[in-house]
Each structure stands twice: as structure tokens, then as C-alpha cells.
Amino acid sequence: MRVDIRVVPYTLHLRYTFRVSRAASDTADNVFLRLQSEGIEGYGEAAPIRRYAESPEETMALLGRAAELVPEDLFDLQSLRSRLEQAWGARHAPAKAALEMAIWDWIGKRLAVPLYRLWGLNPQQVPRTSFTLGLDSLDRMLAKLEEAATFPVLKIKLGSQHDLRIIEAIRKRTDRALRVDANEGWTREEALAKIRALKDFGVELVEQPLPAGDLEGMRWLRDRVDLPLFADESVHSPADIPKLAGLFDGINIKLMKCGGLWPAREMIAVARAHGLQVMLGCMVESSLGITAAAHLAPLVDYLDLDGHLLTTDDPFTGVQLSPEARPILPEGPGIGAELRADLFGSARVAAL
Ligand code: MG
């Protein structure tokens, strides 16, 4: 079967500088992939994560040579996975996710079914998504809070000296559900004091309070606080999960961390087997990557699929939100995301 693959870089621009405890950015340099076979196109997206030493340049180079890793039979995802592991080892999850995503999109289109139907999932059983407020000055965070008025669940990025002042000010203005993500930004003692205070502000859960590798610290913290704690930077693959049971209450799964929809489904199963709850999250991604992930939404407890909403130049359209911020899974075949621009043509469309 002849397969043609095109790979292009594309910079997503953010509405606001996006800041978390360790870094800030105004753009996301993602990589898009188009796979064509039998006159059918499948699309994939990679959002390289600097925190894990993945770069857009390397992702472009890897995907540019990826045609040789694609099995003759595109339905044979099992062989794709073993080839990717053989060629790239445990690294390059964003590139793996992009290639696998494009093939799932192709398979869904070839069979004329949306992915959630291919997997037998109930599209009505989808949690509300949170909307993220990046770390910023208190004034700017409150301005963003106003703009996010339609979102019933907010995820607040913390990890500064002003954390409690920020939550107190936000809580004064809204009774919406609040989740907090410290992005590894606290020490043990700081986490203990802050999480106890966050409980009094009615915060629902706290994500990644301590550095990814500090599992001993998590054991110490777990014994001292009673808010649900979710792992994000601490968990990348199914094999990471067993040791987190008892230290965290749940895990945040992202396609760009685990390398695709298949490994994400494995992680959901392993988390369940260990009594952990599941959040499905994202990086700054276009509607393509977000819609691909949304097909797994019926399997999870919490959703944080807002990356595309933070951008100003999304080259795809895809999943829409209901008035209660529940993703409405597209009925189109495959991922169901539509290209809005001539992304793979010779000229990059500058403004959409
Ligand atoms: Mg996080």
C-alpha cells in the first residue's frame, strides 16, 4: 500500500503569555503530519514538550523519516507500536502521538466511523472540561477569570509566592469549581501549608505539587493532606502507574506524554486497576490534537482539554463545547477535525 507523508511546522500563537511555575511562552511550535493512502487523508499533530527535551526541529526530522516505520497494512497498529519503540525507544512521545493519530484518523475515515464509535464508547458520558488560567499578576488573572465566565470549572496554575492571595481573590469572585496545578513548583513544607489552605477555599484537587521524581515527598505529603492529588509530570507510561498508587489519587494522561491514543487507553486501564482516577489533559494543541484526545473522554473522570482555546490561529476545527463545557464529539469519520487552511500546500497561510 503506497503511503505518502507530509510534515510541516506550524506556530500556534497564544492569546496570552502562558506561564506555569517553571516557564512562560507566547507561542507553541507544533508539527503537523498528513498521511495519504488510497485517496484518504489522515492528520496528526505533535506538540513537542521542552520539559522532556523534545524539540520541534527533532520532531520534524523524525516524522520526515517516519514513512519507513509505517506498516504495509495501515490497520496493523500493533506493528506500528513495536516499530516505533524499536526505532525511538521510550523517547519522542509527541512524534509517536502524531503518527499514530494520523493512522487512527485514516482508519476511522476508511471505515467511515468516528473513533469513539470504533472503540464502542458512549459520547453522552463525557465530563466537563476545565479552562486553564496561566500564572500571572493577580490583576491579569482576575481579568482572565472574567473572560472565562462561561466555563464552570477552572484550572488555576500556581507556583509563586502569591499563590494563596490569587486563590483567595478568585474565590471571592466566583463559586465555580477550582482545580490547582502547581507544575512541580512547591517544596514539601510549602505544599503542605498551601494545600491545607486551598482546602479551605474549596479547591477540588491539586495537580503535581512536588517535583516529578520526589515520590518519597509525595508519601510524606499524602499522609498529611486530604485533598485529591493528581500526578502529571510524574507519569508518562503505563509502567509509571503502579508505584504512584497510594501516593496520588489520580493521574493526568496526555497524548503528548504517552505517545498516542493506544498507550493512553492502556494507561486508563492500568490506572483503574490501581484504584486511581483519570484526568485527560493536553498541551497547547490545535483542534486536531484536542479532538483526537476527546474521543477518549467517555473513559475518564476529569477533562482538561482546553489547549486549542488558548490559541488565536487554530488551523483546524473540531470538537465543540456544550453550554456546560462538555465536549460534543464530532460525528464525522476518524478524528472528525477539519483543516481550515492550506497547511500542507506550498505556501503557509499567514493569517486565518
Ligand atoms: Mg499539569
Side-chain angles (χ1 to χ4, degrees):
M1 193 185 296
R2 209 183 90 78
V3 171
D4 180 65
I5 291 180
R6 288 205 68 171
V7 185
V8 294
Y10 184 88
T11 298
L12 291 162
H13 293 83
L14 299 175
R15 235 171 262 288
Y16 299 104
T17 300
F18 189 67
R19 191 171 286 114
V20 302
S21 62
R22 63 177 164 263
S25 53
D26 295 299
T27 55
D29 296 316
N30 289 4
V31 175
F32 288 87
L33 180 148
R34 184 189 65 195
L35 174 147
Q36 286 176 311
S37 185
E38 298 179 25
I40 297 169
E41 295 176 339
Y43 294 104
E45 177 173 8
I49 308 177
R50 262 175 287 168
R51 164 75 177 78
Y52 308 122
E54 300 289 345
S55 72
E57 296 76 17
E58 193 179 14
T59 303
M60 280 288 297
L62 290 167
L63 289 175
R65 298 192 301 270
E68 63 199 38
L69 300 173
V70 174
E72 182 74 12
D73 174 5
L74 281 178
F75 284 84
D76 183 7
L77 286 161
Q78 185 170 13
S79 296
L80 175 76
R81 282 201 76 195
S82 48
R83 288 178 185 194
L84 286 175
E85 264 161 49
Q86 225 171 355
W88 300 344
R91 292 203 57 214
H92 309 314
K96 288 174 181 166
L99 186 58
E100 194 229 36
M101 191 185 296
I103 296 180
W104 276 118
D105 192 29
W106 186 92
I107 289 172
K109 287 170 177 165
R110 178 77 170 67
L111 298 175
V113 285
L115 293 183
Y116 73 85
R117 280 188 62 78
L118 188 60
W119 300 330
L121 304 180
N122 176 0
Q124 304 307 320
Q125 199 178 310
V126 168
R128 301 179 299 182
T129 181
S130 52
F131 183 80
T132 303
L133 301 192
L135 191 54
D136 213 323
S137 70
L138 182 54
D139 283 350
R140 293 190 59 124
M141 287 185 83
L142 293 177
K144 289 182 211 169
L145 177 70
E146 295 300 312
E147 273 185 49
T150 57
F151 288 88
V153 184
L154 299 167
K155 180 167 176 175
I156 317 292
K157 295 286 194 179
L158 294 183
S160 78
Q161 293 120 304
H162 313 298
D163 287 343
L164 295 181
R165 222 154 50 87
I166 291 168
I167 290 293
E168 184 180 14
I170 289 175
R171 182 45 94 207
K172 245 184 221 163
R173 283 165 179 78
T174 182
D175 58 2
R176 283 179 274 168
L178 301 180
R179 300 171 189 164
V180 159
D181 188 353
N183 287 106
E184 316 180 87
W186 295 332
T187 63
R188 295 180 188 185
E189 295 291 346
E190 191 182 7
L192 175 62
K194 287 184 175 175
I195 293 172
R196 284 180 175 166
L198 292 174
K199 192 183 180 208
D200 295 335
F201 290 118
V203 165
E204 192 178 40
L205 62 87
V206 175
E207 205 174 301
Q208 199 68 45
L210 302 181
D214 189 9
L215 297 187
E216 228 173 87
M218 280 308 302
R219 188 175 304 282
W220 178 90
L221 187 63
R222 175 70 291 172
D223 290 341
R224 289 164 175 79
V225 298
D226 51 10
L227 270 187
L229 303 175
F230 274 62
D232 182 355
E233 285 86 341
S234 292
V235 60
H236 295 253
S237 72
D240 291 334
I241 297 172
K243 62 179 180 285
L244 303 180
L247 309 183
F248 290 94
D249 300 279
I251 62 166
N252 185 346
I253 297 173
K254 298 172 180 170
L255 301 184
M256 299 302 151
K257 280 193 305 176
C258 70
L261 293 156
W262 182 326
R265 291 193 65 182
E266 280 184 350
M267 288 180 75
I268 293 169
V270 175
R272 296 292 182 212
H274 288 84
L276 291 161
Q277 290 197 294
V278 177
M279 177 189 291
L280 186 61
C282 62
M283 302 305 293
V284 174
E285 296 166 40
S286 78
S287 285
L288 176 61
I290 298 296
T291 306
H295 285 274
L296 294 175
L299 291 173
V300 308
D301 308 295
Y302 297 95
L303 277 186
D304 182 32
L305 288 182
D306 65 343
H308 61 313
L309 303 173
L310 309 175
T311 68
T312 59
D313 45 6
D314 189 340
F316 282 85
T317 55
V319 70
Q320 303 293 312
L321 294 180
S322 75
E324 324 84 75
R326 286 178 212 281
I328 302 164
L329 302 186
E331 285 171 18
I335 294 169
E338 301 282 338
L339 191 56
R340 295 170 64 209
D342 185 19
L343 198 58
F344 297 92
S346 49
R348 152 87 199 269
V349 177
L352 297 173

